[in-house]
Each structure stands twice: as C-alpha cells, then as structure tokens.
Amino acid sequence: MIRKQRKSSSSPGRKATPFSPCPVCGKGVLVPVDDIVSEIETYTFVERGRRCTACGEEFIPDEESQRMIKVARRLGLWGEPLRLHRKLSRSGRGTVLRIPTDIERSLGLRGDEEVTITKAGRKIVVEIRG
C-alpha cells in the first residue's frame, strides 16, 4: 500500500465500513475516497484509496497503484527503476558523484547543465533545471 501525505482539508468521501483506525496518527479513521491526486511529470492521476479523517494521511491500495503505473508506462512516463551503485569521491572541499555514460546519453547531458540538489531523508535527488 502506498502512503501519501496530503495537506488540504479532507473531503467527506464515502463512509468506510468497518472503520479502520489511522496507523499514522491513531486519532482518526480511514474513510474511502476517490480523489487522491498523484502527479508524474506533467500528468495528474486521480486514484481511489482511504484518507484519515484527522491527519489527512492518504493510503492507496496496491491494486490502484499498479493500475496507475500501468497507465503511466503506456504513456512512457514510468520505466523500470534504474539502480546503479557508485562510490563517492572527494575533490577539494566537496564530494563528487560521477554520472555513468549511459545515463548521461539517455538524458542528453552535455556537462554544462545546472542542477538542483535536494536531500530527502537519506536520499539525494538531482534534478536538471531548465
């Protein structure tokens, strides 16, 4: 089950039977909704799932997630995840991460692009700007 955080106010949705307590906050109950929004690149997907009445945490069942992934693959937005293992190296006062040639070619990188680097937990996200 995919869990998503949503900041907006919760919509009433359909009534859940039986009511499940929220595993995140423990205060609210999970009610079925059909307006969970997910975005992949510039596409917006609306999915069914459950939302906590107290904290707004959203849970998308695996079947619904797989349906969205299947559509995204058909649109060419969702490929198989690419996981490569690399070692970091030091250069002056910074740390260097080399980008493999196949990724460089597939993204059409020239080596002079500006990037945005974000820390997300123990992950580093590198986005090409522009």
Side-chain angles (χ1 to χ4, degrees), residues 35-117:
D35 63 348
I36 299 174
V37 176
S38 298
E39 291 184 18
I40 299 177
E41 301 211 3
T42 59
Y43 291 85
T44 302
F45 295 87
V46 180
E47 302 167 286
R48 292 186 180 111
R50 291 181 176 245
R51 183 178 299 127
C52 175
T53 56
C55 68
E57 191 78 24
E58 294 174 332
F59 299 87
I60 302 170
D62 289 335
E63 316 81 60
E64 190 74 9
S65 297
Q66 292 305 315
R67 185 184 66 77
M68 187 253 324
I69 290 169
K70 188 183 283 186
V71 171
R73 278 194 178 128
R74 239 182 281 139
L75 293 169
L77 302 174
W78 190 288
E80 294 301 317
L82 180 62
R83 288 186 180 255
L84 300 172
H85 299 280
R86 296 288 185 258
K87 283 196 171 200
L88 299 175
S89 58
R90 298 290 299 168
S91 175
R93 294 185 189 169
T95 302
V96 176
L97 171 64
R98 291 176 26 118
I99 297 173
T101 307
D102 55 338
I103 292 177
E104 185 179 14
R105 264 190 250 124
S106 70
L107 292 173
L109 298 178
R110 299 176 313 272
D112 61 350
E113 291 82 4
E114 289 190 29
V115 297
T116 301
I117 301 172

Side-chain angles (χ1 to χ4, degrees), residues 2-31:
I2 294 178
R3 187 176 86 185
K4 294 184 62 179
Q5 179 66 38
R6 184 176 172 136
K7 299 284 184 204
S8 65
S9 63
S10 62
S11 63
R14 299 180 303 258
K15 297 212 185 313
T17 337
F19 292 107
S20 306
C22 177
V24 175
C25 71
K27 297 175 185 172
V29 292
L30 300 180
V31 295

